[in-house]
Amino acid sequence: MKHANQKLSSFYAWLLAIPALVLIGLIVVFPIFYTGYISLTNMNIFNWFTFRIVGFRNYFNALFLFDSGFLTALFVTVLWTVLNMIFQLVIAFTMASLLNIEKLKYRKVYKTLLMFPWAMPGYVSILLWKNGMFNSQFGLLNQWLERLGLEPVRWLANDVSAFVSSMVVNLWLALPFMIMIIDGALQSIDRSYYESALIEGASWLKRSISLTIPAIKPIIGPAVIITIFTTFKQFDVIYLLTQQVGSKTGARIHTVLTYAYENAFVTNNYGYSSAISMIIFALLLGFSLSARYLSKGENE
Amino acid sequence: MKKLERIGLFILNIFFITVCFGVMVPILYAFSVSLNAGNSILGSDFSFIPRAFTLNNYRAVLFDQPVLLWLGNTVILAVSSVTISMLVAVPGAFSLSRLKFRGRKHIVKGLILLYSFPAILSMFAIYRLLSPLGLINTKIGLIIIYVGTMAIFGLLNLKGYFDSIPGEIEEAAGIDGANTFQKITLIMLPLAKPALIVTGMMVLIYVWNEYIYAITFMTGQSNYTLAAGLYSLQATEMSGSWPVFAAASLVVSLPILVIFFAIQKYMVSGLTAGGVKM
């Protein structure tokens, strides 16, 4: 009797989960396998139907041909992720610490205003930055330069200034989340912790390094890991600022994601682009497994 | 000492006012341009408070451009996607959270790993799969994509919340003779209301803000969503429909701003859904 019951409840469990799992299978899992299959072919715009299997040639081209552009894109992506994370953590920690100074009255107002970049639809903000701030004709930045008597700058036209501009926009978008996470963590620290440190006359920097940061580390850990992933996977900022189809700005910076996108939808190298996608997926799986492994080790 | 503290606080307030203003500049600038009559944006005498006030740009957005049509498309996509997402995610998450069955742990682990996969990478494969089915350039195609993409988020987010609700209440209901359906509808759903609202709103925000599938899979202005339409309205380096674009940007953002600030305190848990315990 018990056995039959168990079978029935197992059947129910599957029945309830199946619709969601089928959808995920169709839209997430199957396309990944299909991408894997395309990556082994020479499919492109001329071979839409007449493609054939070429083995691992696309992977070889991506990884070992120096001028393929993929390794450069990977390097740029890593640089992008590292720089963004450093700036994000330092700025967010400073801002959150300042917001938590005890007698600050209008904290709530400031917090609400600081949340705006997060609340706005991301692509709208990026387009507003592109058309409002960076535009070389009527952008606000160039209006300011003009007022100072300086020559206008084409912010998005060369690689370095486009990279820096993209980073500014990305920080603008991402900082509110990080500030809020660190702010929440700071508020959860027991105040009595500090009192002895204060009595001993430890400076703010010293307290931060030896007390605050170790105390908030486990709390902000998961959010930081997730942010590392979203930064690595950031597509919208660089794509919308510099390489929209039909209005490229001249800069040629690629992250791995914009690189894969360009090879699929602009130059129509489907096989090659799929190989790139699979390599990125393998990298992300690797990161995510090792992040889990590391965080597990820390908890035990 | 007191005086020193007051000066410190004063400087701190000045600092925050400056930072907040700096952060808001792109939005304030768009706002001011959208309300400004005349061409003063091209001169160097720009100010954040418009000299000559006009609502013409907003009128142009609403009546000269097919924005209302795009709004209609977006609303249809958003409502359908949210409804279907919830219909599949709620029972699925209940099953993963409450019912013991073989393979459950593996499914959850698999979902967490898949969650790190950027949807944009398989866009071409999805295009090639949907195209023989005649689902390219249709709303149904986009709805399937949106629901499938957000299903993992929905499952993990709701499962995380269901896990935090103690099981004793349902057990008691089970003793009183409630079946699984009744346990979900009469006990779980009322308790999980905040999580349901947040999950639904996150799907809504995702659909509202999604542009890359919408511009790649949909052709023809009449099929555009708000995001795709706004994308097409952008001013290029040379042409100057920038005031209209600024007005449109703010109109499109307004509903999302309202939703965001209404559910703000839940947003963090929503964004860290991938971090649920296995």
Side-chain angles (χ1 to χ4, degrees):
Chain A
M1 186 61 200
K2 185 136 196 239
H3 191 69
N5 236 345
Q6 238 169 22
K7 253 193 177 162
L8 191 71
S9 81
S10 187
F11 170 75
Y12 263 134
W14 277 104
L15 193 71
L16 291 176
I18 276 295
L21 295 181
V22 167
L23 263 170
I24 293 167
L26 274 177
I27 295 300
V28 183
V29 180
F30 187 61
I32 292 175
F33 282 105
Y34 193 52
T35 305
Y37 169 69
I38 298 172
S39 75
L40 301 174
T41 72
N42 67 345
M43 192 189 290
N44 59 33
I45 193 117
F46 308 111
N47 290 320
W48 184 260
F49 293 112
T50 55
F51 61 89
R52 60 190 168 75
I53 303 277
V54 295
F56 287 91
R57 201 171 74 193
N58 291 319
Y59 291 88
F60 181 84
N61 288 346
L63 291 172
F64 300 110
L65 285 190
F66 187 68
D67 56 355
S68 74
F70 173 68
L71 293 178
T72 320
L74 186 60
F75 172 74
V76 170
T77 315
V78 172
L79 185 72
W80 162 265
T81 311
V82 171
L83 288 177
N84 267 298
M85 287 316 293
I86 293 173
F87 277 105
Q88 258 189 61
L89 289 171
V90 172
I91 298 175
F93 182 74
T94 316
M95 295 293 285
S97 305
L98 291 175
L99 278 170
N100 274 290
I101 288 179
E102 235 169 275
K103 285 178 183 150
L104 187 66
K105 256 195 213 152
Y106 304 108
R107 177 178 299 136
K108 275 217 164 130
V109 181
Y110 301 142
K111 270 192 209 171
T112 308
L113 287 173
L114 289 176
M115 288 304 120
F116 255 83
W118 181 13
M120 288 280 288
Y123 76 98
V124 173
S125 304
I126 299 167
L127 294 180
L128 284 180
W129 271 94
K130 178 176 197 254
N131 297 302
M133 306 301 288
F134 294 132
N135 186 294
S136 52
Q137 302 284 312
F138 45 81
L140 194 57
L141 293 178
N142 277 347
Q143 288 183 40
W144 284 341
L145 285 185
E146 202 176 322
R147 204 175 299 181
L148 295 172
L150 297 169
E151 286 291 301
V153 174
R154 295 186 60 214
W155 300 97
L156 303 172
N158 80 63
D159 292 0
V160 176
S161 75
F163 186 86
V164 174
S165 305
S166 301
M167 218 165 83
V168 169
V169 175
N170 192 58
L171 287 172
W172 186 85
L173 288 168
L175 273 168
F177 175 66
M178 201 46 96
I179 293 175
M180 195 153 139
I181 291 283
I182 297 183
D183 179 57
L186 288 177
Q187 283 170 6
S188 70
I189 302 179
D190 193 352
R191 288 275 150 203
S192 61
Y193 241 40
Y194 284 111
E195 269 154 27
S196 57
L198 275 175
I199 290 163
E200 283 164 27
S203 70
W204 177 80
L205 195 68
K206 208 168 171 196
R207 266 180 292 148
S208 293
I209 292 169
S210 57
L211 274 177
T212 320
I213 292 176
I216 63 172
K217 226 167 103 186
I219 310 173
I220 66 169
V224 171
I225 289 174
I226 285 168
T227 312
I228 294 175
F229 273 94
T230 42
T231 313
F232 188 90
K233 293 192 290 188
Q234 176 54 252
F235 171 85
D236 297 344
V237 172
I238 290 178
Y239 175 76
L240 288 176
L241 282 185
T242 68
Q243 45 201 235
Q244 291 177 40
V245 178
S247 61
K248 292 209 174 191
T249 56
R252 290 198 46 82
I253 39 170
H254 268 304
T255 65
V256 282
L257 249 69
T258 63
Y259 183 70
Y261 178 86
E262 184 170 86
N263 276 291
F265 290 95
V266 181
T267 57
N268 301 310
N269 259 319
Y270 308 124
Y272 181 71
S273 163
S274 298
I276 302 292
S277 296
M278 294 312 284
I279 296 172
I280 301 170
F281 188 41
L283 285 174
L284 288 171
L285 271 184
F287 292 161
S288 130
L289 286 172
S290 50
R292 292 216 154 252
Y293 183 75
L294 287 177
S295 67
K296 246 185 199 163
E298 225 160 73
N299 286 340
E300 272 158 19
Chain B
M1 192 64 201
K2 258 276 153 69
K3 204 175 171 193
L4 211 67
E5 199 180 271
R6 284 232 316 262
I7 294 172
L9 270 179
F10 179 72
I11 294 173
L12 192 65
N13 278 306
I14 296 286
F15 168 78
F16 272 116
I17 291 167
T18 317
V19 168
C20 289
F21 179 75
V23 163
M24 295 290 282
V25 159
I27 303 167
L28 289 176
Y29 178 49
F31 188 59
S32 147
V33 165
S34 75
L35 291 173
N36 204 347
N39 282 334
S40 68
I41 56 152
L42 290 173
S44 55
D45 60 338
F46 170 78
S47 73
F48 278 100
I49 300 146
R51 299 226 163 78
F53 177 85
T54 179
L55 284 174
N56 274 337
N57 295 318
Y58 287 89
R59 190 177 307 137
V61 168
L62 292 179
F63 302 112
D64 299 349
Q65 308 287 345
V67 167
L68 293 175
L69 184 70
W70 300 336
L71 175 71
N73 288 338
T74 302
V75 168
I76 293 172
L77 286 173
V79 170
S80 326
S81 303
V82 171
T83 313
I84 302 172
S85 291
M86 298 313 279
L87 284 178
V88 300
V90 168
F94 180 82
S95 169
L96 290 176
S97 166
R98 284 296 195 264
L99 305 174
K100 308 269 177 267
F101 62 95
R102 209 183 288 168
R104 183 179 76 144
K105 280 205 163 156
H106 294 290
I107 292 177
V108 176
K109 270 185 199 169
L111 289 178
I112 291 172
L113 288 181
L114 282 174
Y115 196 56
S116 68
F117 186 77
I120 200 169
L121 288 183
S122 51
M123 195 156 87
F124 174 69
I126 293 177
Y127 188 93
R128 237 187 118 94
L129 289 169
L130 292 189
S131 135
L133 301 173
L135 289 174
I136 298 299
N137 213 10
T138 64
K139 289 199 185 66
I140 298 176
L142 276 188
I143 292 171
I144 296 175
I145 294 170
Y146 292 161
V147 172
T149 308
M150 288 306 274
I152 300 180
F153 163 77
L155 280 179
L156 291 178
N157 199 34
L158 287 175
K159 177 194 177 300
Y161 198 84
F162 288 168
D163 285 348
S164 71
I165 299 175
E168 284 89 14
I169 313 171
E170 292 153 62
E171 276 164 32
I175 293 166
D176 289 344
N179 60 30
T180 308
F181 181 73
Q182 287 168 323
K183 278 185 199 165
I184 296 182
T185 51
L186 297 177
I187 295 167
M188 231 24 176
L189 294 190
L191 285 175
K193 213 164 152 192
L196 294 174
I197 293 172
V198 171
T199 309
M201 287 304 111
M202 296 289 276
V203 176
L204 182 93
I205 292 176
Y206 167 77
V207 175
W208 200 275
N209 293 350
E210 200 292 318
Y211 69 94
I212 195 87
Y213 276 100
I215 55 174
T216 313
F217 285 24
M218 299 298 248
T219 49
Q221 274 215 339
S222 62
N223 279 324
Y224 279 171
T225 62
L226 275 181
L230 189 64
Y231 180 92
S232 76
L233 272 186
Q234 278 178 85
T236 55
E237 281 280 301
M238 294 305 164
S239 83
S241 58
W242 158 234
V244 176
F245 175 80
S249 299
L250 296 171
V251 171
V252 167
S253 305
L254 192 64
I256 298 299
L257 288 173
V258 171
I259 293 175
F260 180 92
F261 284 109
I263 62 167
Q264 190 192 2
K265 58 180 170 175
Y266 306 109
M267 291 297 284
V268 169
S269 66
L271 277 183
T272 46
V276 295
K277 293 194 185 74
M278 289 194 211

